[in-house]
């Protein structure tokens, strides 16, 4: 090995340039001609020489001598001298005395004969250089004939070194020369293995039908730590020339994935320097691990064809990154980086492997965007229309933590309460709620003990399935002690923020003294609730009413986040309840911060009954109907006596309606009003009730639950309690004609709900989007149900290699963490 180490003074770059940079010297000047004694006395230890012994050159030997002379420069580059030894007639030595010896060339290291070559095997420069280097490197370039030989060499290299495996149909060819020249330069870095056996190529799984073509594979044995794990192979797809092999080995020696933390326009890698494109996978810190796996998977697929870099959004401030999840940089000067939104890694690979398909992706993207612009005015869903109209607006998600399968459970332990929005990035309502969620994050900024986070169920269906998420969007609050609350209220900003704040306070809140109980009824609440005005509900229990108390506690758990409840069950609870003319168990309601307290006996001792009772008692006596509270009043199943007004109703009308609501008849119907300025949807309601819009204010009786008849209070009568009650009696007696009858059509979804999580790809959990497999990998990749854990560590092997994937490498084909998506393209929104 010491002699070969000395040869490294000739760098590979020098070898590539020497032919162009050295002055052209005649072959006759480089070919030494010596006598036998002079030749053998000039041999030096370690120096290699190729000698041809000759007397009189016969015409048949002339072509060989010309090729020997032509090879002088090529062999000199490797420190090998070429000598023509002129034998005198009287010389009868081994090399000059026999006619048979004169038809051979001899390779010496010092005065030791390494190999003798028949002259007909050295028919041109390529064969001379190939055979000489092959003989010189005989102990270092392994020649194999069987698959077992190849596997033994692989096993010996695993975990230590990589292997370059070459197949040439015959020795002495230009391809053979290129392989041996590469082995001379890179032999200390990689183990070179050579074969000329076509059957061995077929045994290795090579699916190329033409075995007449030379092939070269880079075998990544250094990464294979298990003897049962075959070395991954990356084929060289170019012709076997010295330049192409050098280029291929340079690419194999480059980092699999480069991490970039600077402007991608300034990035330069060995791939760009060698004329190959560079693919950027855009990442963020919350999904770094998944993005890293995605980048590594793409890098293996594109190894030798393009470079792959992981570009962090968190450290590079480019607006264009927010609209894309993949970028492509070509080696052409002056060509800007192309930023794209792609669905899966198949499309990423298409960028490199098929330029025509890449252009088609761009054209489809433009056509789809143009089509969306054309269809914005004819959307039949207002939420989808709003999302489509504002799809390019970016939401500031800095205050919301993005969770993955890896970070979900650990994040629940970071704060006293973790709020999680489970959504699907392609679903319009989810993206609409995401805006409200951002506003909630701004509203609660700085609130101690509350962490807002999100999980994209399209990317992480495993998390959502385990958390029993059956619809999108779903909002849950997790407490450190293990309890969780599911929000089932309106999805607006104010309602959601109120739920999060109220959930911070124990429900029910246990009060220790009568003074605390009285203060609670006066509205003296924890500081977190200071901005939320509501009716105070206090449950009063004696020691003998433990069953009712336990049911009240269970009801409090159900109502947590929606209302605040207090509970008093000390020895003097009886004195407190008697003050308000009730006996335990009882509810005390303070509707106006303690100015008036109403006592209600708690006759039912079932948690669900108590929940229903509390919800009913918290309803206003004469409420203003809004989109938010209408469902609560519809659940009562009663007719509506509703006054429509264009602004606040007058004091006289308000007083009369309030008297009507507090009277005995209010038990049979809901007395309410609707302000069209606050709730513009009321205009549509009136259009449904009447052929022409009536003058306001107008009082309407409507029974949505039976018959759907709509009656209008006579406009020539004043809104007094007496007149309204008289009119209601006529309605009851059937003396009034309805203004209209509402349709009996049931308001149901037009189609049944989809269980999207169940429909998602679950064969390989890591591959959640549009996973596809190479032809030869289908059986290996498809795991039976229940083998989820094994499937997560499988990695697809490029079909050229013909071997199984490496263990311990989790791929990420779906670009899950790089950018949220809506259907095939990302859509944003700005309003409900």
């Amino acid at each position: 090995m010491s002699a070969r180490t000395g040869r490294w003074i000739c760098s590979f770059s020098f070898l590539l340039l020497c032919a162009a940079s050295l002055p052209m010297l005649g072959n006759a000047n480089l070919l030494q001609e010596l006598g036998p004694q002079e030749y053998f006395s000039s041999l030096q230890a370690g120096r290699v020489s190729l000698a041809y012994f000759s007397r009189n050159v016969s015409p048949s030997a002339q072509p060989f001598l010309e090729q020997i002379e032509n090879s002088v420069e090529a062999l000199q580059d490797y420190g090998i001298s070429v000598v023509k030894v002129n034998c005198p007639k009287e010389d009868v030595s081994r090399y000059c005395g026999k006619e048979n010896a004169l038809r051979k060339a001899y390779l010496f290291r010092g005065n030791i004969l390494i190999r003798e070559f028949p002259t007909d095997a050295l028919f041109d420069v390529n064969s001379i250089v190939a055979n000489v280097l092959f003989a010189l490197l005989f102990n270092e370039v392994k020649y194999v004939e069987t698959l077992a030989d190849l596997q033994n060499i692989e096993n010996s290299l695993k975990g230590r070194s990589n292997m370059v495996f070459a197949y040439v149909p015959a020795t002495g060819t230009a391809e053979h020369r290129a392989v041996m020249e590469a082995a001379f330069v890179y032999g200390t870095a990689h183990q070179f293995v050579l074969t000329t056996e076509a059957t061995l190529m077929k045994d290795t799984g090579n699916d190329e039908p033409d075995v007449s073509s030379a092939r070269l594979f880079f075998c990544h044995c250094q990464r294979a730590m298990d003897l049962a794990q075959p070395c991954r192979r990356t084929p060289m797809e170019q012709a076997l020339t010295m330049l192409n092999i050098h280029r291929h080995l340079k690419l194999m020696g480059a980092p699999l994935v480069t991490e970039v933390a600077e402007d991608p326009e300034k990035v330069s890698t060995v791939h760009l320097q060698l004329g190959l494109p560079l693919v950027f996978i855009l990442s963020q810190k919350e999904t770094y691990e998944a993005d890293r796996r995605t980048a590594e998977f793409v890098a293996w697929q594109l190894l030798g064809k393009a470079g792959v870099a992981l570009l962090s959004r968190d450290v590079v401030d480019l607006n264009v990154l927010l609209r894309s999840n993949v970028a492509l940089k070509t080696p052409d000067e002056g060509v800007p980086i192309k930023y794209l939104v792609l669905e899966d890694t198949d499309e990423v690979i298409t960028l490199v492997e098929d330029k025509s398909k890449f252009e088609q992706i761009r054209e489809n993207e433009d056509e789809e965007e143009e089509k969306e612009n054309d269809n914005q005015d004819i959307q039949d869903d207002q939420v989808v229309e709003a999302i489509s109209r504002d799809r390019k607006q970016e939401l500031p998600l800095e205050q919301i933590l993005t969770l993955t399968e890896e970070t979900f459970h650990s994040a629940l332990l970071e704060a006293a309460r973790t709020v999680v929005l489970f959504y699907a990035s392609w679903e319009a309502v989810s993206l609409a709620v995401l805006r409200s969620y951002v506003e909630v994050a701004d509203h609660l900024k700085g609130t101690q003990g509350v962490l807002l986070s999100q999980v994209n169920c399209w990317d992480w269906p495993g998390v959502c399935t385990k958390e029993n998420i059956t619809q999108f969007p779903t909002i849950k609050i997790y407490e450190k002690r293990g309890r969780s609350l599911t929000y089932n209220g309106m999805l607006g900003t104010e309602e959601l923020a109120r739920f999060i704040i109220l959930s911070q306070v124990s429900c029910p809140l246990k009060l220790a003294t009568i003074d605390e109980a009285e203060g609670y009824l006066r509205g003296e609440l924890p500081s977190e609730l200071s901005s939320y005005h509501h009716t105070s509900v206090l449950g009063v229990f004696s020691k003998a009413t433990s069953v009712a108390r336990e049911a009240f506690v269970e009801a409090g758990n159900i109502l947590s986040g929606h209302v605040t409840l207090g509970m008093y069950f000390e020895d003097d609870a009886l004195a407190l309840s008697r003050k308000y003319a009730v006996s335990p168990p009882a509810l005390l309601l303070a509707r106006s911060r303690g100015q008036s307290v109403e006592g209600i006996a708690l006759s039912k001792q079932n948690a669900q009954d108590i929940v229903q009772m509390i919800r009913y008692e918290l309803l206003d006596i004469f409420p203003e109907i809004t989109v938010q509270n209408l469902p609560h009043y519809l659940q009562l199943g009663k007719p509506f006596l509703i006054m429509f007004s264009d602004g606040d109703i007058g004091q006289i009308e308000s007083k009369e309606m309030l008297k009507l609501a507090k009277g005995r008849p209010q038990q049979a119907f809901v007395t309410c009003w609707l302000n069209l300025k606050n709730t513009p949807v009321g205009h549509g309601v009136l259009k449904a009730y009447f052929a022409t819009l009536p003058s306001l204010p107008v009082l309407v009786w409507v029974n949505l639950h039976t018959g759907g008849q709509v009656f209008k209070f006579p406009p020539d009568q004043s809104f007094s309690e007496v007149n309204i009650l008289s009119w209601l009696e006529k309605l009851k007696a059937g003396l009034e004609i309805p203004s209209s009858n509402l349709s009996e059509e049931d308001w149901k979804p037009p189609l049944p709900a989809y269980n999207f999580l169940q429909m998602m790809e679950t064969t390989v959990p890591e591959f959640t989007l549009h996973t596809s497999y190479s032809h030869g990998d289908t059986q290996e990749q498809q795991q039976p149900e229940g083998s989820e854990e094994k499937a997560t560590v499988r990695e697809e092997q490029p079909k050229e290699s013909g071997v199984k994937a490496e263990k311990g490498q989790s791929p990420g084909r779906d670009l899950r963490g790089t950018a949220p998506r809506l259907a095939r393209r990302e859509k944003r929104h700005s309003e409900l």
Side-chain angles (χ1 to χ4, degrees):
M1 293 297 292
S2 60
R4 292 196 59 230
T5 303
R7 299 191 207 106
W8 275 94
I9 58 174
C10 297
S11 66
F12 183 73
S13 58
F14 173 77
L15 293 178
L16 294 177
L17 297 174
C18 64
S21 60
L22 290 178
M24 295 299 294
L25 300 177
N27 290 341
N29 295 332
L30 294 176
L31 178 62
Q32 301 180 61
E33 294 194 34
L34 303 174
Q37 186 175 359
E38 184 181 7
Y39 169 67
F40 284 109
S41 63
S42 67
L43 295 178
Q44 300 177 17
R47 294 297 300 273
V48 180
S49 61
L50 178 66
Y52 171 62
F53 294 83
S54 171
R55 283 198 179 96
N56 297 321
V57 179
S58 64
S60 61
Q62 187 62 39
F64 167 73
L65 187 58
E66 291 177 358
Q67 296 302 322
I68 281 287
E69 292 175 349
N70 291 336
S71 67
V72 170
E73 282 189 77
L75 290 176
Q76 194 175 56
D77 292 336
Y78 298 98
I80 303 170
S81 60
V82 181
V83 181
K84 178 186 174 186
V85 181
N86 297 316
C87 296
K89 292 182 180 181
E90 64 278 7
D91 192 338
V92 292
S93 65
R94 173 184 175 184
Y95 300 105
C96 289
K98 298 180 180 180
E99 186 65 28
N100 186 45
L102 297 177
R103 291 196 294 268
K104 296 180 180 180
Y106 301 89
L107 185 66
F108 291 91
R109 179 181 283 121
N111 59 1
I112 300 174
L113 176 63
I114 300 176
R115 184 71 55 86
E116 58 183 50
F117 303 100
T119 55
D120 57 0
L122 307 180
F123 47 84
D124 62 8
V125 175
N126 289 329
S127 64
I128 293 171
V129 175
N131 282 297
V132 167
L133 292 180
F134 194 18
L136 195 62
L137 303 176
F138 182 77
N139 293 323
E140 298 161 41
V141 176
K142 306 295 184 181
Y143 182 83
V144 294
E145 295 182 347
T146 66
L147 182 61
D149 294 337
L150 180 63
Q151 290 174 341
N152 288 336
I153 296 175
E154 279 193 358
N155 291 337
S156 67
L157 295 174
K158 287 177 181 178
R160 299 190 301 105
S161 179
N162 295 318
M163 180 176 74
V164 179
F165 173 50
Y167 161 74
V168 293
T171 59
T173 60
E175 292 85 357
H176 183 207
R177 172 185 174 179
V179 173
M180 299 316 303
E181 287 180 321
F184 189 92
V185 177
Y186 292 99
T188 56
H190 312 298
Q191 175 64 63
F192 278 72
V193 177
L194 180 71
T195 188
T196 57
E197 302 294 331
T199 55
L200 174 56
M201 285 300 295
K202 295 179 181 179
D203 292 341
T204 58
N206 180 54
D207 56 0
E208 290 289 337
D210 184 12
V211 294
S212 63
S213 300
R215 300 295 306 276
L216 183 140
F217 300 88
F218 188 89
C219 304
H220 306 267
C221 296
Q222 196 169 15
R223 292 175 175 268
M225 307 304 294
D226 186 354
L227 284 178
Q229 180 182 2
C231 300
R232 178 189 282 267
R233 298 174 189 162
T234 302
M236 189 183 81
E237 298 185 352
Q238 296 77 27
L240 258 67
T241 66
M242 184 57 198
L243 183 61
N244 286 340
I245 296 176
H246 165 69
R247 182 173 177 269
H248 190 66
L249 296 182
K250 288 284 287 184
L251 293 173
M252 297 303 101
L256 183 63
V257 175
T258 303
E259 297 205 18
V260 176
E262 60 177 320
D263 185 346
E265 293 284 359
K266 301 177 181 178
V267 173
S268 177
T269 67
V270 65
H271 306 86
L272 293 170
Q273 296 162 11
L274 293 176
L276 296 178
L278 181 63
V279 176
F280 293 94
I281 302 296
L282 309 188
S283 176
Q284 53 193 0
K285 63 181 180 180
E286 294 87 356
T287 57
Y288 170 80
E289 293 299 331
D291 298 337
R292 176 80 190 185
R293 289 196 299 271
T294 297
E296 289 177 354
F297 177 79
V298 172
W300 278 117
Q301 303 301 303
L302 296 178
L303 198 59
K305 304 173 186 177
V308 176
L310 195 63
L311 178 59
S312 174
R313 300 173 186 273
D314 304 305
V315 296
V316 181
D317 186 19
L318 291 180
N319 292 332
V320 70
L321 298 185
L322 298 175
R323 300 195 301 271
S324 310
N325 57 5
V326 171
L328 181 68
K329 184 175 184 179
T330 64
D332 305 320
E333 287 191 24
V335 178
I337 293 179
K338 297 175 182 178
Y339 292 90
L340 297 168
V341 177
L342 301 183
E343 286 300 309
D344 53 36
T345 55
D346 287 345
E347 292 189 359
V348 180
I349 295 167
T350 295
L351 291 179
V352 175
E353 294 185 340
D354 193 330
K355 292 185 179 179
S356 62
K357 286 186 178 180
F358 167 61
E359 294 301 328
Q360 186 178 358
I361 290 174
R362 293 297 302 267
E363 290 175 5
N364 291 344
E365 192 175 46
D366 295 339
E367 289 175 5
E368 186 172 330
E369 184 170 346
E370 182 178 350
K371 183 177 179 181
E372 288 170 356
N373 291 336
D374 294 340
N375 292 340
Q376 280 183 12
D377 297 330
I378 58 174
Q379 292 280 2
D380 60 354
D381 187 303
Q382 293 180 352
V383 176
V384 174
E385 182 180 3
I387 297 297
S388 178
R389 183 172 58 250
D390 242 353
R391 65 191 179 280
K392 291 185 178 180
Q393 179 178 339
E394 300 295 334
L395 293 177
L397 301 174
E398 296 82 7
Q399 300 179 55
I400 299 174
L401 181 64
T402 299
L403 302 182
T404 68
E405 286 181 348
E406 291 86 357
T407 62
F408 180 79
H409 294 289
S410 59
L412 301 186
L413 303 176
E414 292 184 11
R417 284 173 176 79
T418 303
V419 186
V420 183
L421 168 64
F422 297 92
Y423 74 102
S425 55
W426 45 262
E427 197 261 331
V429 176
S430 288
L431 296 180
V433 172
L434 192 57
R435 179 176 180 83
S436 298
Y437 201 56
V438 169
E439 294 172 352
V440 170
D442 289 336
H443 182 75
L444 299 181
K445 186 176 182 180
T447 302
Q448 296 295 322
V450 177
L451 174 66
L452 266 65
S453 61
Q454 61 176 340
V455 173
N456 185 350
C457 292
W458 180 239
D459 285 342
W460 311 106
V463 173
C464 300
T465 300
K466 290 178 182 178
E467 297 304 312
N468 196 29
I469 305 303
T470 58
Q471 64 183 25
F472 304 136
T474 294
I475 297 173
K476 298 182 74 172
I477 298 180
Y478 295 85
E479 299 180 357
K480 262 190 176 181
R481 58 187 178 182
R483 191 171 72 107
S484 65
L485 302 173
T486 300
Y487 179 62
N488 52 17
M490 299 295 290
L491 294 172
T493 302
E494 183 178 348
E495 293 79 12
L496 181 54
R498 184 177 187 274
F499 176 78
I500 295 172
I501 292 298
L502 290 181
S503 68
Q504 289 186 281
V505 180
S506 297
C507 187
L509 186 64
K510 296 178 182 179
L511 305 170
T513 65
I514 286 186
D515 289 340
E516 287 185 5
E518 295 278 12
Y520 175 81
L521 292 174
R522 290 193 299 270
E524 297 175 5
L525 302 174
S527 58
E528 303 96 315
L529 307 180
S530 58
S531 59
Y532 293 93
H533 173 68
H534 52 80
T535 300
S536 297
V537 179
L538 177 65
V540 182
F541 305 91
S542 64
K543 297 294 185 181
T545 58
S546 58
V547 174
R549 185 174 74 245
E550 291 174 1
F552 185 77
V553 171
E554 185 178 348
N557 291 333
I558 296 172
L559 293 171
S560 179
H562 300 282
V563 300
T564 57
L565 301 180
M567 184 172 71
Y568 189 72
F569 58 94
E570 300 300 325
D571 294 335
D572 51 359
L574 186 60
L576 177 64
S577 60
R578 285 177 177 174
K579 179 178 179 180
Y580 299 102
V582 289
S583 298
L587 297 182
L588 301 180
L589 280 76
R591 300 186 187 276
S592 302
R593 292 192 177 273
Q595 294 180 8
S596 62
V597 177
E598 179 184 356
I600 303 172
L602 196 59
S603 57
K604 297 181 179 181
Q605 299 185 5
N606 176 274
Q608 289 295 338
D609 292 335
I610 294 175
V611 168
Q612 291 298 112
M613 179 180 180
I614 292 173
R615 283 176 172 166
Y616 177 78
E617 293 297 338
L618 289 178
L619 296 176
D620 290 336
I621 296 175
F622 180 49
E624 177 187 352
I625 294 299
T626 64
V627 173
Q628 288 79 6
N629 66 16
L630 177 61
H632 300 301
Y633 293 96
L634 284 175
Q635 287 177 353
L636 298 176
K638 300 178 181 180
F640 275 52
L641 180 63
I642 179 169
M643 177 175 284
F644 291 85
S645 66
D646 190 18
D648 292 336
I649 58 177
Q651 290 185 353
I652 296 176
E653 290 86 351
S654 178
K655 181 179 179 181
E656 293 297 318
M657 294 293 291
L658 191 57
K659 285 166 56 179
L660 185 68
K662 289 182 177 180
R664 194 164 57 88
Q666 100 275 5
Q667 301 292 333
F669 57 86
V670 176
T671 305
C672 56
W673 67 291
L674 190 148
N675 185 344
L676 294 181
K677 287 186 176 179
N678 294 339
T679 311
V681 72
H683 290 285
V685 174
L686 287 176
K687 287 180 181 179
Y689 287 173
F690 307 107
T692 58
L693 289 179
S695 58
L696 301 178
V698 60
L699 185 63
V700 176
W701 171 277
V702 59
N703 192 342
L704 298 172
H705 307 282
T706 56
Q709 293 181 327
V710 178
F711 296 89
K712 182 174 69 171
F713 184 74
D716 56 345
Q717 295 186 25
S718 62
F719 296 109
S720 67
E721 180 185 11
V722 174
N723 290 340
I724 295 172
L725 287 176
S726 175
W727 176 61
L728 293 178
E729 288 295 328
K730 292 180 181 180
L731 295 182
K732 185 177 180 180
L735 301 178
E736 291 286 333
I737 299 175
S739 301
S740 62
N741 288 281
L742 300 180
S743 171
E744 295 183 1
E745 182 181 357
D746 202 356
W747 289 5
K748 290 183 178 179
L751 295 172
Y754 290 107
N755 187 339
F756 289 103
L757 291 177
Q758 188 177 17
M759 294 168 62
M760 286 180 184
E761 176 76 65
T762 57
T763 303
V764 184
E766 289 288 338
F767 303 170
T768 60
L769 298 183
H770 307 288
T771 304
S772 64
Y773 306 105
S774 296
H775 175 71
D777 297 331
T778 306
Q779 291 182 350
E780 177 185 343
Q781 293 294 344
Q782 290 181 346
Q783 296 292 322
E785 191 172 347
S787 62
E788 180 172 325
E789 182 177 350
K790 293 182 180 179
T792 58
V793 296
R794 305 295 293 272
E795 182 175 31
E796 187 182 34
Q797 172 70 17
K799 62 183 179 180
E800 293 87 354
S801 69
V803 295
K804 296 180 181 179
E806 291 184 63
K807 295 181 180 179
Q809 301 254 354
S810 269
R813 300 190 193 184
D814 56 302
L815 308 181
R816 71 186 64 199
T818 57
R821 293 169 299 282
L822 174 61
R824 292 182 58 200
R825 292 289 180 266
E826 169 67 303
K827 301 175 192 278
R828 305 282 182 171
H829 76 288
S830 64
E831 59 186 87
L832 291 175

